[in-house]
Amino acid sequence: MPQLRVLRNGQSFCVVGSQDVWMFSASVWADVWGPEASTLDISGGSKRRADGTSDFLTWAMPHELSRGDAIDIFFEPGVESNPKGTLFTPEPKSAPDAGARFSSWPPSDAELSEWEARPSINSSLSWSLVLNGAPPVHVAPEINRQHIGMHILLNEERPERLRVNLSKRSIREISARENGEELLLEYVPIGSHVQLAIGA
């Protein structure tokens, strides 16, 4: 069975092992507005109970990345998580959400226009993604597609392969649940290595 081993700048960040989860994902995302250069999320669903339910576990959500950071993700044999995932406990629904960006979902056209008009702190941001030593794929947020994201996913129904996706979307495509522009989509075997560099 496989594990996902994540390094930040060559230092061990976490290991998500298949003994603890039935699925896991690792995502890095950024948008043209910032203020974070990029953000890393790593989470998974605990092993399912007899009734099919599971707990939502997190290893990083969110974890801020800086310009110049390098993330290495290894898909390799292994079962033990290190550290163990943290059980996610949502805030009570009655509590105000200090991080809410919009007053409703989907947001109104006026809210989207207000968001689009914010200063573009990350206008010079770029990423470089290398998958299994192939030529790098470069991506950057832009005025028309302001959000970039890399998403890695595995579930125990197909444990021999990892889904790797790199895409660009606008805030309007996100709110409409549209796909945007897909730059890379591959299913890779155990032994694969994903390298992501956060550039200036």
Side-chain angles (χ1 to χ4, degrees):
M1 295 294 287
Q3 66 182 21
L4 200 69
R5 181 165 57 93
V6 182
L7 280 66
R8 177 181 178 180
N9 299 328
Q11 302 297 312
S12 179
F13 186 82
C14 72
V15 177
V16 183
S18 52
Q19 179 173 281
D20 298 321
V21 295
W22 74 271
M23 63 77 63
F24 56 68
S25 68
S27 299
V28 181
W29 56 273
D31 61 44
V32 74
W33 302 290
E36 301 85 358
S38 297
T39 302
L40 171 66
D41 294 330
I42 302 173
S43 62
S46 68
K47 288 296 186 182
R48 289 177 282 195
R49 305 177 184 92
D51 63 359
T53 62
S54 66
D55 295 319
F56 184 57
L57 304 175
T58 65
W59 282 261
M61 187 171 281
H63 181 80
E64 185 176 340
L65 300 174
S66 303
R67 294 171 189 249
D69 277 350
I71 300 296
D72 288 273
I73 299 175
F74 297 90
F75 181 45
E76 58 192 15
V79 296
E80 294 284 346
S81 295
N82 183 24
K84 295 291 186 182
T86 300
L87 181 65
F88 177 75
T89 305
E91 293 291 329
K93 290 185 178 180
S94 58
D97 181 6
R101 296 182 168 187
F102 300 109
S103 61
S104 61
W105 192 266
S108 68
D109 187 72
E111 287 178 303
L112 289 169
S113 296
E114 182 179 353
W115 193 260
E116 289 168 328
R118 297 173 72 236
S120 298
I121 296 172
N122 278 339
S123 58
S124 65
L125 178 71
S126 65
W127 289 358
S128 176
L129 184 145
V130 175
L131 178 59
N132 290 330
V137 179
H138 301 286
V139 61
E142 56 191 38
I143 191 64
N144 294 321
R145 285 205 164 107
Q146 310 96 344
H147 181 278
I148 56 177
M150 179 193 73
H151 188 64
I152 290 174
L153 178 67
L154 177 133
N155 69 64
E156 64 184 9
E157 286 152 19
R158 296 295 299 270
E160 76 285 354
R161 69 180 197 178
L162 191 71
R163 183 183 190 271
V164 182
N165 175 246
L166 180 69
S167 64
K168 290 195 295 187
R169 293 196 292 171
S170 71
I171 190 68
R172 292 181 183 271
E173 287 169 331
I174 291 171
S175 68
R177 302 186 185 278
E178 297 174 356
N179 290 331
E181 180 182 357
E182 193 167 73
L183 302 172
L184 181 146
L185 175 60
E186 289 194 29
Y187 291 88
V188 297
I190 293 174
S192 292
H193 178 198
V194 181
Q195 300 166 277
L196 181 68
I198 312 297

